[in-house]
Amino acid sequence: MVPSEAWRGTSDAIKSSMDLPVDEWKSYLLQKWASLPTSVQVTISTAETLRDIFLHSSSLLQPEDELFLKRLSKGYLVGKDSDAPLFYREEGNKKFQEKDYTGAAVLYSKGVSHSRPNTEDMSLCHANRSAALFHLGQYETCLKDINRAQTHGYPERLQPKIMLRKAECLVALGRLQEASQTISDLERNFTATPALADVRPQTLQRNLHRLKMKVQEKDSLTESFPAALAKTLEDAVLREENEQLPSASSSIGLCVDPLKGRYLVATKDILPGELLVKEDAFVSVLNPGELPPPHHGLDSKWDTRVTNGDLYCHRCLKHTLATVPCDGCSYAKYCSQECLQQAWELYHRTECPLGGLLLTLGVFCHIALRLTLLVGFEDVRKIITKLCDKISNKDICLPESNNQVKTLNYGLGESEKNGNIVETPIPGCDINGKYENNYNAVFNLLPHTENHSPEHKFLCALCVSALCRQLEAASLQAIPTERCVNSSQLKAAVTPELCPDVTIWGVAMLRHMLQLQCNAQAMTTIQHTGSKGSIVTDSRQVRLATGIFPVISLLNHSCCPNTSVSFISTVATIRASQRIRKGQEILHCYGPHKSRMGVAERQQKLRSQYFFDCACPACQTEAHRMAAGPRWEAFCCNSCGAPMQESLSPMREMTCCAVAADLVQNLLSAGTTWSLGYRTFSSRSEWPRSFSEMVN
């Protein structure tokens, strides 16, 4: 079977444990499902529409269920704690004394996230972090933290320390005029009120003299223009953008097929390395990491462990050691005040009081909510209403079957009506056949409702229902009123029955949760590990966030793809990894790759997550080879006469009988000196490759 269009998704076929709810809530709901009468299970299992699934399931959500969920959500300490800044400052000071300036900066950031604006706690945490950033050579960022410390009321007695640091940064950056002015201001203030300075006069005078000498030395040198920055992946631009597929190269085209659905092909010969797609995520949510709630098994209620949320902006995913926290919670952090403001206006004003609940319900539920918030209730309602009209109000979601149309470019399919051939728009395209990175394209990604298990649909529906109840309880005050059709209708909902408008919102979120299993993209980054002084370091690919990319979602899977994907911030780039001929399909790998796992394991993983049997060339070749019998059956063992067979060991040696295979496997896994008869083997190069070699 050819992979269908909706079988796109994460770079790793194994879903993150944070995608779905925490284990306690998941187990609770699965037990609830198992305890339901058979008739109720059948009603939900046979429901024809997502609307029916949502309404039947939400009617079963009881107050005691919500109470249990609330207790779980409280395990995540996402609010601000007035006692935490001092704790994190002291822990950061320990790291600072150990010269672990990166670790110190992260701990000071945790203190910042718990501090209230315009308090001494906030100013001291910013000032301490500026010291760590200075030692890391991040002078621009250090200056920003110094300004923040002063904005939030940095104590007058400590001003000389922070002003000296400011002057040092300005000198290092070559901003000599500003540095001289800062030194003059510091001298004048110290002369006026020397008793207020929390620093020795001799030390201050010595540092000021040293800085003046630095300024003079640098001023006497001929300043050169800064070296041009090297071009990076984020500077890459599409050579010629596609008119039908914004964010894609003109070298590829959109096609549709009865079996494949929508897919991408090369419209001309493509060379290795050519940029094919550069797309910003329509929506993305930072992966909080695989850590349990902080209060589980820790000596302190404050967590000193480092997670993605401490190192990356929660909006643009930019790496930073100087995060800017939300004023209302300690969880959401950003790289700048601009990102903070944009996130607040678009979605965080609603998400802020729901932080613990969203962490409990998982990333997929969080994305489903953020999608609807980004688009706004008005546009969600319009799209769903339009779909309802098209299908005679029978369903509130798209039909599950693909359009039975011939392969055709430019976003139009053909169907017969009254004996005539008429053009039908491809799902996600506008009437002109243009496929854009917008909510229409996202909504048209198939949820594969019929392939998900009944208990999984029940779990997702109750997660969305619980979220809707919380929004109702808050009277949706956090959602901008201009984004709602009629906010009074939403507030008028009567528990346990949801009003029609909230039902629309809930069904949309349920659809998105089901879509994400096949269409979410794991956004990854490379993290380096190893001791600071060592020249040997290790690097690994880690999952940073989960996002939706409508254009990239058009790529079908292959276990031996002809493209590669990389990420910078929220932008994904797809490049050709080999020569692609005109008319050849553009293929992506969803995780199971032929170089990493055998065909049986790949097939199982793809079938369980994406609901299809892969028929790519790599799978067909391996399946044919397996069906043909043992690879080395023409060769027999000199000792036992058994046919040679390929070993299951990591090095794939040729062995004969099972006893010999087990022996070689043991030798390979030992890693020490082993003796066999009169022979001793101490290295891999000396290990025998067959039974006959062992006995000779």
Side-chain angles (χ1 to χ4, degrees), residues 610-687:
Y610 300 104
F611 313 123
F612 74 93
D613 294 312
C614 185
C616 72
C619 286
Q620 290 180 329
T621 300
E622 290 181 55
H624 177 74
R625 191 181 72 188
M626 291 174 63
R631 187 175 179 181
W632 306 103
E633 62 183 353
F635 300 91
C636 294
C637 174
N638 292 337
S639 178
C640 66
M644 300 296 289
Q645 59 186 343
E646 200 170 8
S647 171
L648 296 178
S649 71
M651 296 198 57
R652 302 284 186 188
E653 298 84 39
M654 288 191 303
T655 60
C656 53
C657 59
V659 174
D662 289 342
L663 182 57
V664 172
Q665 178 65 29
N666 289 335
L667 289 170
L668 284 169
S669 61
T672 56
T673 300
W674 278 75
S675 296
L676 182 64
Y678 294 101
R679 297 184 61 186
T680 300
F681 308 97
S682 58
S683 68
R684 285 181 179 267
S685 62
E686 296 173 356
W687 285 336

Side-chain angles (χ1 to χ4, degrees), residues 56 86 90 271 383 385 470 580 605 626:
H56 286 311
L86 176 59
E90 290 175 346
L271 296 175
I383 288 178
T385 301
Q470 287 297 311
I580 304 174
K605 289 183 180 297
M626 291 174 63

Side-chain angles (χ1 to χ4, degrees), residues 20-21 29 54 364-365 452 455-465 509-510 513-514:
L20 296 177
L29 291 184
F54 176 74
F364 282 179
C365 194
H452 291 284
E455 53 265 38
H456 179 72
K457 288 182 282 191
F458 177 75
L459 181 147
C460 291
L462 257 66
C463 287
V464 170
S465 298
M509 286 195 286
L510 175 57
M513 276 200 77
L514 297 179

Side-chain angles (χ1 to χ4, degrees), residues 20-293:
L20 296 177
V22 296
D23 290 339
E24 294 93 335
W25 179 240
K26 193 168 14 176
S27 299
Y28 181 89
L29 291 184
L30 292 179
Q31 290 176 9
K32 184 179 181 71
W33 168 262
S35 66
L36 293 175
T38 304
S39 59
V40 177
Q41 290 185 351
V42 170
T43 299
I44 296 175
S45 301
T46 58
E48 294 184 359
T49 69
L50 284 175
R51 182 178 184 277
D52 291 337
I53 294 172
F54 176 74
L55 289 177
H56 286 311
S57 300
S58 62
S59 67
L60 299 171
L61 185 65
Q62 301 300 315
E64 57 267 26
D65 303 331
E66 295 181 80
L67 187 61
F68 179 77
L69 179 60
K70 186 176 181 180
R71 286 200 298 269
L72 290 177
S73 302
K74 285 184 176 179
Y76 291 95
L77 305 178
V78 294
K80 292 189 182 291
D81 189 330
S82 59
D83 295 325
L86 176 59
F87 169 81
Y88 284 120
R89 218 163 56 240
E90 290 175 346
E91 292 297 312
N93 291 343
K94 294 176 185 176
K95 293 286 185 182
F96 193 93
Q97 291 169 2
E98 297 168 1
K99 300 188 185 306
D100 180 3
Y101 301 118
T102 299
V106 172
L107 289 168
Y108 293 142
S109 291
K110 286 178 178 288
V112 169
S113 68
H114 279 278
S115 301
R116 294 290 179 185
N118 303 315
T119 61
E120 185 170 300
D121 279 333
M122 179 70 88
S123 67
L124 291 175
C125 286
H126 276 305
N128 285 15
R129 191 171 70 182
S130 74
L133 294 170
F134 176 79
H135 283 279
L136 291 169
Q138 297 189 23
Y139 302 121
E140 289 284 6
T141 311
C142 176
L143 286 174
K144 290 179 181 178
D145 257 3
I146 290 172
N147 290 335
R148 289 169 184 144
Q150 293 176 323
T151 300
H152 290 283
Y154 192 64
E156 187 69 27
R157 69 183 187 280
L158 301 176
Q159 285 291 336
K161 292 171 62 176
I162 204 169
M163 294 295 285
L164 280 170
R165 191 174 303 138
K166 180 178 180 179
E168 293 269 17
C169 287
L170 292 170
V171 170
L173 292 170
R175 293 157 60 176
L176 304 182
Q177 187 174 351
E178 294 176 70
S180 297
Q181 184 62 51
T182 302
I183 293 171
S184 298
D185 292 342
L186 182 53
E187 284 183 317
R188 185 171 57 254
N189 294 337
F190 179 70
T191 303
T193 54
L196 293 179
D198 191 14
V199 62
R200 290 183 178 181
Q202 298 87 347
T203 303
L204 181 60
Q205 293 293 349
R206 186 167 57 252
N207 286 329
L208 287 172
H209 177 71
R210 178 176 53 83
L211 281 172
K212 286 180 181 179
M213 295 300 295
K214 275 190 176 182
V215 171
Q216 291 176 4
E217 290 170 6
K218 290 211 170 192
D219 198 30
S220 63
L221 299 175
T222 303
E223 292 193 44
S224 59
F225 291 102
L229 294 176
K231 289 289 182 182
T232 60
L233 285 175
E234 60 183 319
D235 298 319
V237 293
L238 295 167
R239 192 171 299 174
E240 186 179 346
E241 193 164 335
N242 197 308
E243 293 183 2
Q244 272 70 39
L245 285 166
S247 304
S249 163
S250 60
S251 301
I252 62 179
L254 172 61
C255 297
V256 64
D257 178 85
L259 293 178
K260 292 183 181 180
R262 301 168 296 179
Y263 64 101
L264 301 178
V265 297
T267 57
K268 60 182 76 170
D269 287 349
I270 296 172
L271 296 175
E274 185 174 335
L275 180 61
L276 303 180
V277 179
K278 184 178 182 182
E279 184 179 22
D280 197 359
F282 183 79
V283 65
S284 62
V285 169
L286 191 74
N287 187 348
E290 307 297 331
L291 298 175

Side-chain angles (χ1 to χ4, degrees), residues 235-492:
D235 298 319
V237 293
L238 295 167
R239 192 171 299 174
E240 186 179 346
E241 193 164 335
N242 197 308
E243 293 183 2
Q244 272 70 39
L245 285 166
S247 304
S249 163
S250 60
S251 301
I252 62 179
L254 172 61
C255 297
V256 64
D257 178 85
L259 293 178
K260 292 183 181 180
R262 301 168 296 179
Y263 64 101
L264 301 178
V265 297
T267 57
K268 60 182 76 170
D269 287 349
I270 296 172
L271 296 175
E274 185 174 335
L275 180 61
L276 303 180
V277 179
K278 184 178 182 182
E279 184 179 22
D280 197 359
F282 183 79
V283 65
S284 62
V285 169
L286 191 74
N287 187 348
E290 307 297 331
L291 298 175
H295 72 289
H296 286 180
L298 293 180
D299 296 333
S300 170
K301 66 176 180 177
W302 299 303
D303 192 5
T304 57
R305 294 168 295 181
V306 180
T307 66
N308 289 340
D310 298 313
L311 300 173
Y312 297 90
C313 176
H314 286 225
R315 194 194 75 84
C316 73
L317 306 182
K318 177 182 176 182
H319 183 275
T320 179
L321 288 176
T323 53
V324 180
C326 167
D327 288 343
C329 68
S330 63
Y331 177 70
K333 308 178 185 75
Y334 305 93
C335 65
S336 64
Q337 190 66 32
E338 291 73 23
C339 267
L340 183 153
Q341 191 63 33
Q342 290 177 25
W344 180 262
E345 292 174 356
L346 290 172
Y347 51 80
H348 190 63
R349 67 170 71 186
T350 300
E351 294 179 357
C352 185
L354 302 174
L357 177 64
L358 292 172
L359 288 171
T360 305
L361 295 179
V363 171
F364 282 179
C365 194
H366 194 165
I367 292 178
L369 172 63
R370 187 170 291 183
L371 267 169
T372 55
L373 293 173
L374 281 170
V375 177
F377 187 85
E378 172 77 17
D379 290 339
V380 172
R381 184 187 64 84
K382 282 181 179 178
I383 288 178
I384 294 180
T385 301
K386 185 177 180 181
L387 292 172
C388 289
D389 293 340
K390 281 185 177 180
I391 52 183
S392 303
N393 291 322
K394 180 183 177 182
D395 201 350
I396 203 165
C397 66
L398 285 175
E400 291 297 306
S401 60
N402 294 320
N403 288 345
Q404 299 298 306
V405 294
K406 298 178 182 179
T407 300
L408 197 68
N409 288 327
Y410 308 124
L412 296 176
E414 294 179 351
S415 61
E416 292 190 15
K417 184 176 181 181
N418 300 326
N420 299 318
I421 300 295
V422 296
E423 291 182 338
T424 57
I426 294 177
C429 294
D430 61 20
I431 58 174
N432 298 315
K434 190 172 184 179
Y435 184 91
E436 297 185 87
N437 183 324
N438 58 20
Y439 187 66
N440 181 42
V442 171
F443 199 89
N444 277 276
L445 297 172
L446 298 183
H448 278 280
T449 309
E450 78 284 2
N451 290 317
H452 291 284
S453 66
E455 53 265 38
H456 179 72
K457 288 182 282 191
F458 177 75
L459 181 147
C460 291
L462 257 66
C463 287
V464 170
S465 298
L467 188 53
C468 285
R469 296 275 181 89
Q470 287 297 311
L471 292 171
E472 287 182 282
S475 299
L476 295 179
Q477 292 177 356
I479 298 178
T481 55
E482 62 270 17
R483 288 175 174 263
C484 298
V485 182
N486 187 341
S487 59
S488 63
Q489 291 179 345
L490 300 177
K491 295 177 185 180

